[in-house]
Amino acid sequence: MIRLAWWLARAGGSARMILLAVPTALASGLLLVAVAMVQLPAMPNEVLFDLVADTGTRGGTVLAVVALTLPLLALLHQVVRLGTASRERRLAALRVAGATPGQVRVVGALEVGLPVTAGAVLGIGVYALLRLLLGGERTLAAQLDWTPELVPTTVTPAWWQVVGVVALVSLAGVVTGWWASGHVIATPLGVTRRQRRRPPRPWGMLLLGLPVLGVPELFNENDESAQAVGLACVSLAIVGVLALGSWTAHRVGHIAQRHARSAATLLAARRLVTDPRSVGRAAAALGAIGLVSGGASVVIADFILDQSETGDSFYIISFGLLGLAVLVALVAAASSIAVCAVEALLDRKRPLASLHASGVTIDTLVAALRREALLAAIPLAVMGMLLGIVTLVGLYSIQNGVMPSSAFGLILIQAVLTVLLIWLAIGVVTTAVRPWLRRATTPANLRTE
């Protein structure tokens, strides 16, 4: 069965296998860095940047490193769905040959699990490279004085922890492959049951409401308790925003459909109404980016207005690292949207070819893809930013009184820059998929398969 799964994985193309391995390698490498940070003693025996060396900020740094894996796992999920129609036909052939539905699901899981496991193992090399470049006791990076010491070198993950991280990331890929194969084959002829799915529900609102219960604990005199509650609140808020991706896309699609004034907007809105989950999941990471950016804008504005700390290199480097982490997450989220767009093009060749044959131009179809992604991403990112800004401004007001009005101008500037970056990233990735769109709209795709 493993040999069969390997054959099917190769049938999906080497590019798909690489796309499955790369995000898992990066995710497992980052998780190993987080494990090493957790193992550090209260007083490390090496020179590390204060974000890692100080026990008061170490927990937040570990959370940030783990959070960076979320856009990578979202990208993994989109790559698994890439070429779903072709994948269905290959698995349907197994049913015709006599395979049971359970065996088909196992093969589908192994098909994804093999390249994902290879990527998770390669993550050990990613961890070693990060340790070499950003380690406390440097070798290669000794001459790069501008790079902060972020990865511990006096402590390393134990062998069982390395195996656990590799197994956890591999399991995530296997479960994703199993889940993607669960609804594929309904009959030996490969016919998939098409049922009208219930629209997404706003369950994420519950997770956004839970952090409110922990606000009183944030002002507890016990710093360790307040820090733990603060990290838990941030984690719940991030997961809540991620969970609202599909619901937000569905609601925005309904609104845009009623007020559409162009063919591109109408096509994008209809796509969001009929299938909000795919692009909603891809755009959900941008909502989390907005949440982090909104909260950080309040802290940065307070830092800029506080003249006593303006020249502190710790804060300057910390904000630079935060900006770099946001950019990395933005690239991963934009890549997920690009893969989602390619998946839609591969699975909707005949409808797209019909639209093009009826007179809809390629530019209109590209604009529809771009607006579909923007309609799903921008409202969620703005909601996340507002949540982060309102929360941090409220906490600041409780502790220090009313925030100066000049700070809101700085907060607004960063919020606008974040939206512009998201808009630019979506514009770039949707333009990049134009070649796939041209191939999807060729007259040959008008034939019924």
Side-chain angles (χ1 to χ4, degrees):
M1 189 170 291
I2 294 179
R3 182 179 298 179
L4 177 60
W6 173 247
W7 180 83
L8 289 174
R10 292 180 59 187
S14 59
R16 182 173 181 268
M17 294 176 65
I18 293 173
L19 286 175
L20 286 171
V22 169
T24 51
L26 296 175
S28 59
L30 289 173
L31 288 177
L32 288 173
V33 170
V35 171
M37 290 181 180
V38 170
Q39 290 183 324
L40 275 174
M43 299 294 292
N45 296 321
E46 60 181 312
V47 178
L48 290 168
F49 189 61
D50 289 345
L51 282 176
V52 180
D54 188 358
T55 56
T57 57
R58 190 183 302 163
T61 306
V62 172
L63 176 61
V65 173
V66 174
L68 277 177
T69 64
L70 296 178
L72 296 171
L73 295 177
L75 175 59
L76 171 65
H77 184 270
Q78 290 301 138
V79 175
V80 170
R81 291 176 54 86
L82 190 61
T84 301
S86 300
R87 191 165 178 266
E88 287 182 3
R89 289 193 294 270
R90 291 194 297 269
L91 295 178
L94 296 180
R95 290 295 312 276
V96 172
T100 64
Q103 290 173 330
V104 169
R105 295 189 70 174
V106 171
V107 170
L110 291 176
E111 175 196 358
V112 177
L114 292 176
V116 165
T117 301
V121 173
L122 290 175
I124 301 174
V126 174
Y127 165 69
L129 180 62
L130 292 174
R131 175 173 171 164
L132 182 65
L133 295 176
L134 302 175
E137 297 177 358
R138 299 186 193 168
T139 54
L140 177 64
Q143 299 176 354
L144 304 178
D145 295 334
W146 53 270
T147 56
E149 303 88 347
L150 297 174
V151 182
T153 56
T154 56
V155 293
T156 55
W159 68 268
W160 60 269
Q161 292 173 325
V162 174
V163 172
V165 169
V166 171
L168 179 64
V169 176
S170 302
L171 180 62
V174 171
V175 170
T176 303
W178 176 279
W179 184 269
S181 305
H183 66 283
V184 170
I185 305 302
T187 73
L189 297 179
V191 179
T192 304
R193 294 191 181 96
R194 303 294 182 185
Q195 300 183 25
R196 183 176 178 84
R197 301 181 65 181
R198 295 179 58 186
R201 302 297 183 184
W203 302 116
M205 291 291 186
L206 296 176
L207 296 177
L208 292 180
L210 288 177
V212 177
L213 301 177
V215 170
E217 187 65 26
L218 296 178
F219 304 101
N220 193 328
E221 295 182 358
N222 187 344
D223 292 337
E224 294 184 359
S225 175
Q227 180 186 5
V229 172
L231 294 178
C233 291
V234 172
S235 302
L236 287 173
I238 291 175
V239 175
V241 172
L242 292 174
L244 286 173
S246 299
W247 178 79
T248 303
H250 186 257
R251 297 308 306 164
V252 171
H254 273 292
I255 296 172
Q257 181 180 251
R258 290 196 297 267
H259 300 89
R261 294 293 182 270
S262 65
T265 303
L266 183 60
L267 287 172
R270 284 299 302 165
R271 174 66 178 165
L272 288 177
V273 171
T274 56
D275 185 18
R277 289 174 173 83
S278 180
V279 68
R281 285 190 296 261
L286 296 174
I289 291 173
L291 175 69
V292 174
S293 178
S297 66
V298 179
V299 179
I300 293 174
D302 179 53
F303 166 75
I304 292 175
L305 295 176
D306 189 352
Q307 298 296 325
S308 63
E309 297 180 346
T310 302
D312 194 333
S313 60
F314 166 75
Y315 291 100
I316 295 174
I317 296 176
S318 298
F319 292 145
L321 291 172
L322 177 62
L324 180 61
V326 169
L327 287 177
V328 171
L330 179 60
V331 170
S335 301
S336 181
I337 290 176
V339 173
C340 177
V342 172
E343 174 210 346
L345 295 176
L346 293 176
D347 292 343
R348 293 188 292 147
K349 291 180 180 179
R350 192 161 184 265
L352 290 171
S354 300
L355 284 173
H356 186 51
S358 65
V360 181
T361 64
I362 295 292
D363 291 336
T364 301
L365 294 176
V366 171
L369 285 175
R370 183 180 299 113
R371 293 179 190 181
E372 178 184 349
L374 289 173
L375 287 172
I378 297 298
L380 193 62
V382 171
M383 182 183 70
M385 278 190 293
L386 289 176
L387 179 62
I389 291 171
V390 171
T391 302
L392 267 294
V393 169
L395 293 176
Y396 178 92
S397 300
I398 293 174
Q399 291 179 327
N400 306 307
V402 180
M403 177 169 281
S405 58
S406 56
F408 290 98
L410 298 173
I411 294 171
L412 180 61
I413 290 173
Q414 180 164 333
V416 172
L417 287 176
T418 302
V419 173
L420 286 177
L421 280 175
I422 293 174
W423 178 84
L424 179 62
I426 291 176
V428 169
V429 297
T430 51
T431 302
V433 301
R434 182 186 284 263
W436 282 273
L437 179 59
R438 289 191 179 277
R439 287 196 288 269
T441 54
T442 56
N445 291 323
L446 292 172
R447 296 195 299 264
T448 303
E449 296 181 354

